Amino acid sequence: ALDQDAKAVRIANYIAGPSNCIAASKYFSICCISECNEIIGNIEAIIQGPAAEPEILLHAVANISSRFVDAPRKLEASLVDKLETIADKHDGLVPLHGRLFAQWLFFAFPNECPYPHIVQDSVVLTSNYWLNRKSSEMFATPEISAPPANSTAPIWSDEEVLPLVDAPVKAAKRVADFTHYILLVAPIALVSRIAWDMAKSAWEAATMRRLEKQAFGGLAPAASGTTSAALSPVARAGAAPRGFSV
């Protein structure tokens, strides 16, 4: 927040910075209310999407007022050019939650929106990182010093960071690729399921026949014709041996 060369403090960065939070935990931080959040909320309510064309954003921002900005207003030509440059990097759309748009809002609302610094380690975004730091370690680097009046060139950085969303076009492409994959796999899965059901039914029928054969295969069939019953006593008495006559 402190610019050593200009001997000035960026108010928005100081108020919204983690060094100005009075308490924090792994789940929340107690910090000052950022006026830029209200501006972003108004933009999100108008756009109702993760990205928008630069023309729509220019019209929306030109009609948003704050404590320090009256609306409607005409945006500077440099702001219009920068927003179109951001859109060119994302196939004609400007991501609302990217670093470049946050940087653009800093120039559109310098007293409300903080400048989005490029950090090498996300730990610097926590309040604990700043608790035991010396004042000499809290200076802004020369490349992000305060800009001259009516100019965005000196501290403008083209480095983009999308912490929440990817470019909408890339996300749509992933959805299309996934849908194409499902359409290719679904018929194969259906045919495989039918073949599995048929094979399962055939195996169950063969198993049933084998069990029936094992259960009834040991029983001999009944003999036809004369039975093995014993002769009656009359039949035995009437039967004379050969060679004798009665």
Side-chain angles (χ1 to χ4, degrees):
L2 179 62
D3 182 4
Q4 188 177 15
D5 295 332
K7 298 185 182 301
V9 175
R10 290 200 185 97
I11 300 301
N13 281 70
Y14 174 74
I15 293 177
S19 60
N20 204 39
C21 298
I22 61 175
S25 72
K26 60 193 303 186
Y27 302 106
F28 65 89
S29 297
I30 301 177
C31 307
C32 298
I33 297 176
S34 174
E35 296 185 54
C36 192
N37 288 340
E38 182 178 355
I39 296 173
I40 296 176
N42 291 333
I43 296 174
E44 291 175 340
I46 297 173
I47 302 303
Q48 297 186 359
E53 292 81 2
E55 296 79 10
I56 297 177
L57 284 174
L58 289 172
H59 178 74
V61 172
N63 289 276
I64 294 178
S65 60
S66 68
R67 287 199 305 156
F68 303 98
V69 175
D70 295 327
R73 60 169 170 158
K74 183 179 180 180
L75 298 175
E76 299 176 2
S78 59
L79 289 175
V80 176
D81 294 338
K82 289 298 183 183
L83 194 63
E84 292 177 349
T85 301
I86 298 174
D88 292 338
K89 294 179 178 294
H90 299 285
D91 298 324
L93 297 176
V94 178
L96 299 185
H97 302 99
R99 179 193 170 275
L100 288 179
F101 184 65
Q103 183 177 221
W104 187 85
L105 285 178
F106 165 74
F107 292 104
F109 298 93
N111 296 315
E112 296 87 356
C113 295
Y115 179 84
H117 299 290
I118 302 174
V119 297
Q120 300 297 327
D121 191 349
S122 59
V123 71
V124 302
L125 299 178
T126 64
S127 59
N128 292 334
Y129 177 84
W130 300 97
L131 291 179
N132 298 320
R133 297 286 170 176
K134 300 178 180 179
S135 59
S136 59
E137 299 178 288
M138 301 182 184
F139 296 126
T141 56
E143 60 270 17
I144 56 175
S145 300
N150 301 325
S151 175
T152 61
I155 65 170
W156 182 270
S157 171
D158 289 327
E159 183 172 347
E160 178 67 293
V161 178
L162 297 172
L164 300 179
V165 294
D166 293 329
V169 174
K170 293 182 179 179
K173 185 178 184 299
R174 287 199 299 268
V175 173
D177 292 341
F178 179 76
T179 304
H180 182 68
Y181 172 78
I182 292 298
L183 293 177
L184 290 177
V185 173
I188 299 176
L190 179 61
V191 173
S192 300
R193 179 58 186 270
I194 294 174
W196 168 258
D197 291 340
M198 294 176 63
K200 183 178 179 181
S201 300
W203 181 82
E204 291 177 349
T207 303
M208 185 63 67
R209 288 195 298 269
R210 185 171 64 255
L211 294 176
E212 292 177 353
K213 185 177 180 181
Q214 293 175 355
F216 299 102
L219 297 178
S224 59
T226 306
T227 63
S228 59
L231 295 175
S232 63
V234 177
R236 290 199 301 270
R242 291 182 179 181
F244 292 91
S245 61
V246 179

